[in-house]
Amino acid sequence: MKIFNERKLRILFKIYRVFILTLNMDSRILPADLPNSKLNEYDYEQGFDESLLVNSEFADCFSCPICHGIPRNPIELTLCGHFFCECCIDKQFTSLPNYEYPMIDCAVCKTPFRPSYALPFESFHPPMKKAYHLVRLRCPYGCPFIGDPQEMDRHQSFQCDLREVCCPSIGCEVTMAFHQLRDEHVAVCPKLMIYCDSCLLPVKRELLKEHNCKERMAAAIKGISQFNLRFIFPF
């Protein structure tokens, strides 16, 4: 395998620098859709509290009999037509002993059913989908946003400035409201990867004072030299 000489590697490194500058990469800009830190927890995934309803007339139409909330990711039991949160039904099935054909009873009418009898929202009849989208909820974090349950799920999980998120920097365990993370924490996070103004190589903020551009560039070039990049430089 042909290994690049130093001249070709320096050319490649120059291209890398231009690429970084062209993208204007700034690690201090947080992704706007950082997930809620409580995502996938049962207490979070269960239904929306009925106190959040703007149009209370829908309280009896869509109410999970297990968590007593407006179903998030609703499912309908095909045998009896009752609605539940997907996570509430999943929790009931996962609590059963591990056998081949699990079956539980509907919490409302006691009709026995299997997982295959649970109809996901995507398969609801159009009138029922339309009715579900007519439900209006206030944001549980107190911001002015109002939307249907699916819109509120996206808002609460990925969009609300007041949602609790974890700092995405590796090694940082800070959890706070997204707007605080964006406006305050990012400016001081010691674990954040930033780009050196001289060599444009990434380095943790806490290690920036010890950062040696020449050593890091030499290490980067040495790492690149381990690959056969003849498809980029055929000469």
Side-chain angles (χ1 to χ4, degrees), residues 176 178-189:
M176 59 176 58
F178 176 78
H179 71 94
Q180 292 178 310
L181 195 75
R182 178 194 61 205
D183 300 337
E184 302 171 15
H185 178 70
V186 168
V188 297
C189 177

Side-chain angles (χ1 to χ4, degrees), residues 199-216:
C199 66
L200 299 182
L201 287 173
V203 58
K204 284 187 177 182
R205 176 180 278 127
E206 63 182 357
L207 301 177
L208 187 59
K209 292 182 179 180
E210 305 170 8
H211 172 68
N212 186 305
C213 291
K214 290 184 179 180
E215 290 181 0
R216 286 296 306 276

